[in-house]
């Protein structure tokens, strides 16, 4: 199959495309025939991934463009260029993520984990939805940690969590927010025929789980039996982007290639509308 000439199927935008899972998703989507824009703040690393893929298959259509999710102006510039080029976005993969080791505030006044994992993907998606058509797909990379997430406003946006900074709760809070955004957006764009789903990769061996603290060996012992390779972690997202049956469902949470039903606690979350409204306030200047 990989020896056949690739026929362009449309445009795919993949954030965090230079990372472990991001590069696997880029490979799968490009080999499926899509023209891929690798959106990354680590351009040299992304370019290295691009060159490796082109070495495997010279006729792949892949380009690297700068996108820093810790800067909302960078998101606007990225989306604005696509609009200026009159592009139609067929696939949007929000794959980039971070788990900061301390509280860092962005130029927009947001806690950095919150910006990279939630607010910037929210803004990017909102800006690119007008460039989509019936059948376009959005996939958000979430996490099982959504289950321990809590949203305290307005602390969530500026501190990541209430009280002292601790990376795991902050990360979990952003993944809860991204999950709720996925469910909410799916309902809002369903009439346009745009499909929006969430992918939980499981515990994956990527840079994000490197703790850089004294309990690294313990972390390794506890998680090693459950850790997936980047390709295994990316599999659910790849299925949601490419499989025919995945294009027939929207607003779903997916694990190991299958839909995981969520309880009403999440599908009818009491803070879903408040989260949308407050996030709109955060990005109002950019919309």
């Amino acid at each position: 199959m990989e020896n056949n000439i690739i026929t362009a199927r449309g445009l795919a935008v993949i954030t965090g495309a230079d990372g472990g899972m991001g590069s696997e998703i880029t490979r799968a989507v490009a080999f499926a025939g899509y023209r891929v824009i690798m959106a990354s703040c680590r351009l040299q690393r992304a370019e290295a991934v691009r060159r490796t893929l082109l070495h495997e298959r010279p006729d792949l259509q892949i380009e690297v463009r700068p996108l820093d999710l810790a800067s909302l102006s960078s998101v606007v510039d990225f989306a604005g260029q696509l609009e200026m080029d009159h592009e139609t976005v067929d696939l949007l993969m929000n794959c980039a993520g971070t788990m900061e080791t301390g509280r860092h505030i962005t130029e927009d006044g947001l806690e950095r984990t919150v910006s990279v994992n939630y607010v910037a993907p929210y803004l990017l998606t909102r800006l690119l939805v007008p460039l989509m058509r019936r059948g376009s797909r959005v996939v958000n990379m979430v996490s099982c940690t959504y289950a321990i997430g809590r949203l305290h406003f307005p602390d969530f946006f500026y501190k990541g969590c209430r009280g002292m900074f601790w990376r795991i709760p902050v990360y979990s809070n952003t993944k809860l927010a991204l999950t709720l955004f996925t469910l909410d957006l799916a309902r809002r764009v369903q009439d346009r025929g745009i499909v929006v789903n969430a992918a939980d990769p499981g515990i994956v061996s990527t840079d994000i789980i490197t703790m850089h603290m004294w309990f690294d060996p313990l972390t390794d012992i506890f998680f090693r039996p459950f850790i997936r390779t980047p390709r295994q972690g990316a599999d659910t997202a790849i299925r949601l982007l490419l499989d025919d049956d995945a294009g027939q469902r929207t607003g779903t949470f997916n694990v190991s290639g299958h839909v995981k039903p969520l309880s009403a606690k999440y599908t009818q979350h009491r803070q879903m509308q408040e989260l949308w409204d407050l996030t709109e306030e955060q990005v109002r200047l950019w919309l």
Side-chain angles (χ1 to χ4, degrees):
M1 179 178 178
E2 292 183 353
N3 291 324
N4 297 331
I5 295 175
I6 290 178
T7 302
R9 295 177 58 182
L11 174 64
V13 174
I14 302 174
T15 72
D18 59 278
M21 288 190 292
S23 60
E24 293 289 350
I25 295 169
T26 297
R27 185 183 191 282
V29 171
F31 271 78
Y34 285 89
R35 180 165 61 94
V36 177
I37 293 178
M38 300 176 67
S40 174
C41 64
R42 300 179 294 191
L43 299 182
Q44 289 185 334
R45 184 165 168 174
E47 185 59 34
V49 172
R50 188 184 79 90
R51 287 197 302 268
T52 297
L53 293 175
L54 290 177
H55 181 73
E56 292 183 49
R57 189 72 185 259
D59 60 337
L60 295 178
Q61 300 182 67
I62 308 175
E63 65 174 300
V64 174
R65 293 193 187 183
L67 175 62
D68 182 0
L69 296 179
S71 166
L72 298 185
S73 63
S74 176
V75 174
V76 172
D77 290 344
F78 178 89
Q81 187 61 56
L82 291 176
E83 184 178 14
M84 287 177 58
D85 294 341
H86 304 288
E87 296 280 15
T88 297
V89 177
D90 295 280
L91 303 178
L92 170 59
M93 178 71 233
N94 286 310
C95 186
T98 186
M99 186 188 292
E100 296 294 301
T101 57
R103 181 171 284 149
H104 307 290
I105 306 302
T106 71
E107 63 190 35
D108 304 296
L110 300 168
E111 194 283 320
R112 193 174 191 277
T113 309
V114 175
S115 180
V116 173
N117 292 3
Y118 172 65
V119 177
Y122 178 104
L123 176 59
L124 177 65
T125 305
R126 291 276 281 109
L127 292 172
L128 295 189
V129 161
L131 308 185
M132 296 180 183
R133 57 188 170 186
R134 184 168 294 275
S136 291
R137 305 186 192 188
V138 178
V139 177
N140 292 326
M141 192 71 82
V142 293
S143 164
C144 60
T145 61
Y146 78 91
I148 61 172
R150 300 291 183 270
L151 299 177
H152 298 290
F153 302 121
D155 293 1
F156 169 66
F157 293 103
Y158 311 122
K159 298 180 180 180
C161 64
R162 180 170 289 177
M164 292 182 62
F165 183 93
W166 188 27
R167 76 190 77 181
I168 295 176
V170 173
Y171 180 82
S172 302
N173 296 345
T174 63
K175 292 305 182 179
L176 172 59
L178 191 62
T179 298
L180 297 182
F181 172 55
T182 303
L183 300 176
D184 200 355
L185 181 67
R187 295 166 184 156
R188 293 172 185 263
V189 300
Q190 188 168 11
D191 288 346
R192 291 191 51 195
I194 298 172
V195 172
V196 186
N197 290 296
D200 174 7
I203 302 172
V204 183
S205 180
T206 63
D207 293 342
I208 204 169
I209 66 168
T210 301
M211 307 300 280
H212 300 299
M213 293 183 70
W214 63 268
F215 51 80
D216 267 353
L218 290 178
T219 302
D220 186 75
I221 291 172
F222 289 137
F223 285 123
R224 183 60 54 191
F226 309 103
I227 287 181
R228 299 177 176 182
T229 66
R231 180 60 182 82
Q232 291 170 329
D235 182 68
T236 296
I238 291 170
R239 290 171 183 248
L240 289 172
L241 291 167
L242 300 179
D243 285 2
D244 290 339
D245 68 308
Q248 305 304 311
R249 64 180 186 266
T250 191
T252 63
F253 188 100
N254 299 262
V255 184
S256 299
H258 303 285
V259 175
K260 175 186 175 181
L262 296 177
S263 69
K265 175 182 177 180
Y266 298 103
T267 60
Q268 302 173 37
H269 198 281
R270 61 184 180 83
Q271 293 174 293
M272 187 179 291
Q273 183 63 52
E274 182 182 17
L275 175 65
W276 180 281
D277 292 341
L278 291 177
T279 309
E280 286 286 295
E281 290 183 14
Q282 296 295 325
V283 301
R284 178 176 296 138
L285 289 176
W286 310 109
L287 287 177

